[in-house]
Structure formats: structure tokens, C-alpha cells
Amino acid sequence: MTNTFIDAKTDLVGESINASVCIIGAGAAGITLARELAPSVADVVLVESGGLSLDGPTQALYSGQNLGLKYHDLLSSRLRYFGGTTNHWGGYCRYNDPIDYRGRPKLDVPRWPFDETVLAPFITRAAAQLGLEFAYFDPATRLSKLGEDTDALIDDASTGLMTKIFQISSKTRFAKIYGNELARLHNLRTYLNLSVTDIQLSESGRNVTAVTARTLTGKTVKITANTFVLACHAIENARLLLASNSQSPTGIGNRYDHVGRYFMDHVHVSGTKMIPSSSFPSLYNFYYLQSLGVNANISFTDPALQEMGILQYYCRFLPVYADEGVKPAMRRLQGKLWEPFDPESLDDLAMVLSDLPGATRLARSAAGGAPKPQYFNLQHRIEQAPNPESRILLSAKRDALGNRQADLMWRLNDVDYRTFRLGQQKIVAELSALGLGRFMVEELHDDYIDEHAIGHYHHIGTTRMAARAEDGVVDPNCRVFNVDNLYVAGSSTFPTAGYSGPTMMIIALALRLADHLKQSKAGN
Amino acid sequence: MVRIAYMAAAITIPPLASIAWRGFSLLNAFVALIWLAALLAFFFFAVAYGILLHGLATLFAFVIILRHRRPGNEDHKFTPRRLIDYAIGLYLILSTSLTGSLLWYGINAPNGEPADNAAVERGSKIFVTSCHACHGTNNELAPSLDGIVGKEVAANPSFDYSAALRGKEGVWTENTLSRFLLAPDQFSPGTKMAISPLTADEARDVIAFLRSGR
Ligand SMILES: Cc1cc2nc3c(=O)[nH]c(=O)nc-3n(C[C@H](O)[C@H](O)[C@H](O)COP(=O)(O)OP(=O)(O)OC[C@H]3O[C@@H](n4cnc5c(N)ncnc54)[C@H](O)[C@@H]3O)c2cc1C
């Protein structure tokens, strides 16, 4: 890439950098902001901790412990180099439902400080940028386009059930897609291998005067700017605010003790089998639809959610085609086809021969078909409740730059447990009534859920947005309350996890923030 | 030793048997040649090529039979006796290869302990939280772990391994994998596999899971 990418380890970078707008973090949020701002705002700087590819020592700056429920390794559930976690993500996209913006006081869920109409134009732009056809979020439109029988959709046949689609974007790798564009922007300088470690406020605390950044080679750089935007992904955004405690011991923006709290993910738990009847629509077969590049799940309508008093929930149906062991045996046989004969393959051959019908179903499914499985495993997926006890905490351990690591205390609460249970109950009741299958129900007790809960790599919360300073960390424009020139971008600002995957929403909010910064002449 | 004896038997018996049965002919020798190539491919090159060549040999055997059915060819008139001849020849070829393989298998039967299901189950959970993000679905960031135990280190030509890993010789064993998982950066300085080190128990379980191929 060309000259606007600057490796901070080289002599091209001295002791200080000055800019109008300093964006910290070059992931989904940071790159979107830079692309929007740099054409019209002079002197924008994008500061990225990593280089152009994955590097062990830099990635290790993301080390942290899991203190609560078993969560993904914090080191591998986000990426620390140019492009950020977009070098990783699966591209599953959806917008929030109207209910996601509403407060749900009975569930202790706050409202977003604006409703869906405010974000709609930005979501449309984000979807276009991701190469998605907005109309395809409508299941009937999408599925009829694929030649599927839309009469099979469950929506009209049941009360309260609703099919919701995730579109799968193929424009996911931001570094590859936008790297050259960024390199050509004259108003933009992108610094690589430069990690922000501390944010300094003016004496009054109302302004960021500078941020400190370091390289792993031992260089320290002071960055001054009129406006700063933190776009380091949810855990790191909170970590930087908490760790910047030279003025206030609790960190920046933390007067009301919200920073780091309400860490949320989309959580899933497997349990309960369903033996489908012949009328169970194959379009709810997860692998089948995935092979068509779409994902559709059975969820609930907003009124049904309200009536049941639960959070967002959806159910995935994972087909089991053959006896246990047949699928890996087939995979291994396939893998060994191009290697010299290995006697161990005879075990696998025997395994495949022991369930030929199953093996045939597997082969048909691999060829894009949807054979009737032996049964489906149900996977229950929910948005997690905003829970102050589910949070980021600074550790006593320090990273290679001397900064305290961020640990995660991941916790579920009663609303989460109830959502899992009532969600499953309704799915079982409705599908049984429609004669779509027989269920072997597994009770989803709290302990079972704690034991089996799996996160989705969606880090949400930790610097939440609110209308009033008492209720959150950033205001509706994503500006840290009571600090005039510090903004936060990314899913850390989401007050609730919502139904959607976070990234399209992150992009939409970044587009909106860019408009706000341009209008408020933040650069001047 | 036994393996060599078997190989010798598998290579020589079918052609010899067929010659003994039918007497020597050029076609006969040609089939034997393909048969030999199939065996060599099967055991030393790739199972798929072996099967393909074997199919070819079988096809030729049929061609021989069909040739003899041509009307007017009084010499080689297709008679029930001939059909039986060839059927037996074919059968010889197939059954030798099959029994041979089974024999070899019996002798070399994997003596590894049966998979410990509880460990595999625990290992599958560790895989989800520590490995799946990179090794699970998208293979741009990390190579696939299918059949990793016993696979050559840094074997995927399309993956850009760290220099340290590329410099290593040999195959992944439970021992080397475990050392890698317990201390990635010591085992392979500068590795791209940025994960929090596993404990010895966790490493054992996740390796059991990887071996199980689930
Ligand atoms: C395996 C996986 C699958 C996923 N699948 C999906 C999906 O299907 N759908 C979906 O919606 N989401 C998915 N996600 C989540 C998605 O990747 C994130 O929501 C998104 O990338 C977050 O964007 P971001 O800009 O906030 O953070 P990131 O993209 O992580 O970017 C943050 C950037 O900041 C840099 N940085 C961090 N700290 C500092 C510092 N101190 N100084 C300077 N720079 C710093 C980092 O190096 C990084 O480049 C997935 C994530 C994973 C891991």
C-alpha cells in the first residue's frame, strides 16, 4: 500500500502526532469512520495497534482471563491488526427489530435513546456497503428468489412465530476491501503498530488533551487532536476508559459506574431433539439453507415477546443425518482418498457400511440436498440481558506495554434463563400443534444453561449509550458524557444486544457518527 | 517382514493365477501390468488412483471377455466354459486384493486405546472456546485441523505459517501438540497461534477431541 500508511516503528514517527480527528482502532467502526471523514475533514489520523497481518506479540496485548461463565478465549475472539475483527467475522447481518429500541421495564431492559426511524437511513447504507439487498431481509422475497416454497413459512400458520433472516455478506474483509482506498485518501494518515495506552483529560476533565500511544519496540508517542474516537472494540474501549485513571481513580466517563458493565453476547444453548414429520419445511434445516447462502430461524413476533415477557429468542434446527461416528468416518475416508492406503481406514469403512442410509443422507446433504434427517438438535439462541454484574474488570496483570489487562466476568441472569425456557416451551408447543414433529424435551435448568452456554463472539455493552448521564457512558451521539471531544464507536455503545448481529449495526452507527462529526465541524 | 510378504503376494498372485489359468497372452500380461500399477498406486501414492486403476484393470478383463463373444471368431468362441474361466479369474483378482488388505489390516490393526468419550466431550468444549474462532469455519486465519495428529507440521501449502513452525520437521504427535498448546510462544517463537495457554488436562482433552475426528 502507498505512503499514507505509516509504520510507527520506523523513524517516520517521532514523539508526537497532531491531527484534527484521531480515530483509534482500524476495524469495522474505525475504517468506516475514516472513509467517511477523510474526504471532507482535513488531517484525519487512524491509529492501529497492529500491522497488516496477524502477529503474535501484538495479538497478545489482548490477553485476559475469563472469571465468570466459560467464555471464548479473549485472545482469539477478536483480532488486533489492520481490519480488526473484520478479518474474522462470518458476515451474518440483520438489523434490530423495533422492540429492540424500546425499553422493557419488566425485564430491566433500557430503551435506546432513539428509535428505528433514526437509524433506518444509516442501516440502509450499511447494508448496501456490505453488498446486501435490503428487500432480502424479507423471508418470502428472499426464499421465493431462491425457488423455495414460501407457503412453507411458518409465519401465517402459527400464532406468534416469525421467520427472521440473516443475510450473509461476502464483503466482509475490510482490510482487503478498503485498504487501498484508505491509502489514497490525502487527508488521512494511518499509523500501524501503534497502540493507544492512556487518555489524558484537561484539568477540568471536560476535554481530552492527548492520548499516549506506544510501539512494542519501546517508542512512546503523544497524539493531540481536536476530537478523539475510540473504536477498539467493546472490551478494549472499556479497558482504555478504565485504565486512564490518572485524573479520576475510576477512569474516564465512569462517574456513575457504568463503564465495563453490561457485557452482552448472543448466547446459545443446545438441548431437545425433534423428530420431524414429513411436513416440517426443509427451509428451517440449518445446513440446507446455509448451503444456499442464507440463514433463517424461527423467532417470535414483537407482540409475542411482550406477552411472554422474554428477551429476543430464536431457534436453529441442526439436522442429524446418521449414527454417531459416521460423519467423521466419512470425512476421514474422503481426506485419505488422496493419500496412500492406511489400514486404519478400514475401521472407518466398517463404520460407514454400518449405517449406509445415514451415509447416503450425509452425501445428499453435502451435495446441496435436504434429506429428512433422523432428528434435529435444537439450538436456542437469545440476546443476553444487560446485566451490571456481567462486566469487564481490570486485572493486576499487565501486558507487554505495561497496561493492565482486561478480564471478563461473564454472567447470565434470571431474565436470560427464563427466555431460554419459555422460548423452548413455545417452540415445542407451537410446532407440536402444527404437527411438524415430535419432541424429546430436555429441561433447560439454570445449571444446565450455565454449563452449556456458548457465546457468539459478539462483544456488546460496556460503554452503553443513554439519554441521561446517570444511565450510561455515552450520549445519543456516542460522545462520552461530560467530555466534550471524546467519542466511542462500536458495539460497546449498544444499550441492548438486540436480535441482530452487531456488525451491520456498528457500521450504521459509525456512518451516523461520521455525519455528526462533519456537521459539528469536529475537525476545526 | 509380513508386510513385504503380503505385498509380494498381492502383486504376484493375481497375474500368476490368471496366467496359470489361461496360459500366457499379451492381453493377459497387460491386465497384470495395470493391476500392478493399481496396487503400487494404492499403497504408495493415493487410494483414489489405486481404485481408478483397479477399475481399469477390471474393465479390461471384461473387454477380454466381450472380445471373445464376437461372432465369427470361431477360435475364441464365447462359451459358457470361457465365461466361467474369466469370472473365476476376475474373482481371483478381486478376492486376493481384498483378503490381502484385510490380512494386512489384521496384522497392523490400530493398537491405540479406544477414544475416551468423556475426554472427547470435554475437549469439544475447549475447542469451541479456544480454537473454533480461527480453526473452525474460516480458514484464512488458521489451517484446518482435520486429522492433525499424525499430519506433517506446517503441511498446508496455502497457509502462511510462521517461520518457526515452517522450520519444524516431522509430524504432529500428541506430545508435540501438547507442548504447543501448553506454551505456544515457547514451542514456536513468534507463532501466529495467539491463544491463552491451555493446562495439561485441557491439552490432553482437546487432543483427544481432535483425534476423534468429530
Ligand atoms: C469468529 C467470529 C465471527 C463473527 N461473526 C460475526 C457475524 O457473523 N456477524 C456479526 O455481526 N458479527 C460477527 N462477529 C463480530 C464482529 O467481528 C465484530 O462485531 C466487529 O468486527 C467489531 O468491529 P469494531 O470496529 O468495533 O472492532 P474490531 O473490528 O475488532 O476493530 C478494532 C480495532 O482496534 C484495534 N485496537 C484495539 N486496541 C487498540 C489500541 N489500544 N490502540 C490502537 N488500536 C487498537 C484493533 O487492532 C482492531 O483493528 C464475529 C467475530 C468473530 C471473532
Side-chain angles (χ1 to χ4, degrees), chain A residues 24-31 47-50 58 62 76-94 166 194-197 231-234 236-237 239-240 403 456-459 489-492 500-506, chain B residues 132-134 137-138:
Chain A
I24 304 163
I31 288 179
V47 179
E48 168 53 45
S49 172
T58 308
Y62 266 159
S76 60
S77 58
R78 48 199 172 138
L79 290 170
R80 195 155 171 143
Y81 63 98
F82 183 69
T85 317
T86 68
N87 290 299
H88 222 170
W89 74 304
Y92 281 60
C93 293
R94 190 183 163 82
F166 281 99
L194 190 59
S195 303
V196 170
T197 54
C232 300
H233 207 356
E236 186 79 0
N237 284 347
R239 178 193 185 193
L240 282 170
N403 243 25
H456 215 299
Y457 310 107
H458 298 166
H459 305 168
S491 43
S492 62
S500 65
T503 309
M504 190 174 85
M505 300 292 292
I506 291 175
Chain B
H132 182 266
C134 300
T137 43
N138 106 33

